[in-house]
Amino acid sequence: MAFRVLTRAAAGNQQQQQLKLLSDLLIRSFSSGPKNVGFIGLGNMGGPMASNLMAKGHKLHVFDISKEAKDSLQAKGAVPYDNVAELAKASDFVVTMLPNNDIVADTYDTIIGGGGIKNQTVFIDSSTIDPNVAKAVQKKVKAAGATFVDAPVSGGVPGAKNATLTFMVGGTTDEYQAVKELLEGMGKKITHCGGYGMGQAAKVCNNMMLGISMCGLAECMNLAIRLGLDPKVFSDIVNASTGRSWASEVNNPVPGIIPTAPAASGYAGGFATGLITKDLGIASAVATSSNSPIPLGALTHQIYRTLMAKGLANKDFSVVYDFLKNAEGK
């Protein structure tokens, strides 16, 4: 009986500690004024996102393996770091924007192992990774005494530059409320998708759709041009009818149609073929684990794997049009 009483008391104390942590979290997140924000990963997406937070008045602490990327943010007023644990110690919020599962997991292990966790630190991972990896990282961060949510983004480089990204957040309702204001400095739509990993689940499904739609658009644009249609005329028709998509409106893969699209600059920048291939691989893995058929997703993955083998990993994923254009039908 005494053991039960002690166990209940311990559980009660733990619950009180968790409630206090959430209370402190909400108070700090809603407090006015600039915040100390760590940002790890300053690539095509992360760099503009960090810049937008600085434009909102937040004090940025930044890390990237690229010295050039750090120097660019330092020139705007950010404090550069060579160690992610030290960056985390100096930050109230830490945003990670990294390429893949392994780098995300290793980064958080380094932060935790280096004593970078503070009880009131909120970690926000905006990378695109396997939902199960996000859940595993959350457990480690929570065990170390801090808060973690997954909050991947959609909107591409234009959305990152213009602070119009969509954030898909996985975490508790209180945690979502605690990060919402900060994320609004980088995006225009912040959606709570459910528990831990559900932001990543939404992102993986969205990116599979993105890859499928780009391949479909590239295929149809190529066919239309071979049939003799003017590509601009056909593009206008698509965008005014049922074939319209983000790819057709923002990132048409045919050079000369959209001046700001990567196709207009040799498919440089944008969303790399290597990254969409990685995301489609995640979709394939989670589809297998959930026994979900994805015939179009699997075919799209194979197409992008072929582009990777052709040495196109660093080109924007709309380069699939150039690949199809030069292929002969059978």
Side-chain angles (χ1 to χ4, degrees):
M1 179 65 72
F3 176 76
R4 285 186 186 175
V5 171
L6 288 172
T7 301
R8 287 173 185 167
N13 288 335
Q14 185 178 16
Q15 186 176 28
Q16 287 180 352
Q17 290 174 356
Q18 290 175 344
L19 289 173
K20 184 179 186 304
L21 180 62
L22 284 172
S23 175
D24 291 343
L25 174 67
L26 289 169
I27 290 171
R28 190 172 72 260
S29 65
F30 288 127
S31 63
S32 59
K35 300 176 177 63
N36 281 300
V37 181
F39 209 108
I40 301 172
L42 306 170
N44 289 340
M45 295 288 291
M49 290 165 68
S51 293
N52 287 330
L53 287 175
M54 293 179 68
K56 291 290 184 180
H58 299 299
K59 182 177 181 181
L60 266 288
H61 307 264
V62 299
F63 173 88
D64 195 278
I65 58 173
S66 166
K67 183 178 184 302
E68 182 181 351
K70 287 195 295 185
D71 288 347
S72 176
L73 269 293
Q74 184 179 16
K76 298 178 182 180
V79 180
Y81 285 76
D82 295 323
N83 182 295
V84 292
E86 293 303 314
L87 175 148
K89 290 177 185 177
S91 307
D92 296 318
F93 291 82
V94 177
V95 181
T96 49
M97 189 68 176
L98 299 165
N100 58 49
N101 290 337
D102 290 342
I103 293 176
V104 170
D106 288 347
T107 297
Y108 279 93
D109 284 344
T110 300
I111 290 171
I112 294 169
I117 297 290
K118 298 186 301 183
N119 285 345
Q120 294 184 349
T121 308
V122 182
F123 292 89
I124 304 168
D125 182 46
S126 291
S127 317
T128 299
I129 58 174
D130 188 313
N132 292 317
V133 174
K135 292 176 183 178
V137 171
Q138 187 276 331
K139 288 180 180 178
K140 288 183 178 181
V141 171
K142 181 179 180 181
T147 299
F148 173 95
V149 300
D150 50 293
V153 302
S154 180
V157 174
K161 290 180 177 179
N162 298 322
T164 57
L165 292 168
T166 293
F167 282 85
M168 295 155 269
V169 183
T172 67
T173 300
D174 286 340
E175 289 165 349
Y176 164 72
Q177 292 296 338
V179 302
K180 187 172 183 288
E181 182 182 3
L182 185 74
L183 297 182
E184 285 174 340
M186 300 178 283
K188 68 175 183 179
K189 185 173 178 60
I190 321 299
T191 301
H192 186 207
C193 297
Y196 305 116
M198 290 303 98
Q200 293 296 349
K203 178 61 188 294
V204 166
C205 293
N206 179 77
N207 274 23
M208 185 173 75
M209 174 62 76
L210 176 63
I212 292 170
S213 64
M214 179 57 80
C215 284
L217 176 64
E219 188 174 286
C220 292
M221 291 298 299
N222 183 54
L223 176 61
I225 292 168
R226 289 193 181 192
L227 291 175
L229 280 163
D230 181 286
K232 289 187 177 180
V233 170
F234 182 62
S235 176
D236 288 343
I237 290 170
V238 169
N239 287 329
S241 58
T242 53
R244 185 176 69 252
S245 67
W246 179 89
S248 68
E249 289 185 319
V250 177
N251 198 17
N252 193 295
V254 179
I257 292 182
I258 300 177
T260 56
S265 56
Y267 301 100
F271 185 33
T273 291
L275 292 178
I276 190 70
T277 306
K278 178 264 295 183
D279 293 352
L280 290 165
I282 294 173
S284 179
V286 297
T288 299
S289 66
S290 62
N291 196 30
S292 303
I294 55 165
L296 292 179
L299 178 58
T300 302
H301 187 207
Q302 185 58 45
I303 291 170
Y304 278 106
R305 287 179 66 191
T306 301
L307 267 62
M308 292 277 288
K310 297 288 184 179
L312 300 171
N314 294 323
K315 295 289 188 179
D316 180 74
F317 78 121
S318 60
V319 76
V320 67
Y321 165 77
D322 193 62
F323 171 76
L324 292 172
K325 180 187 73 173
N326 295 312
E328 294 293 332
K330 294 182 179 180

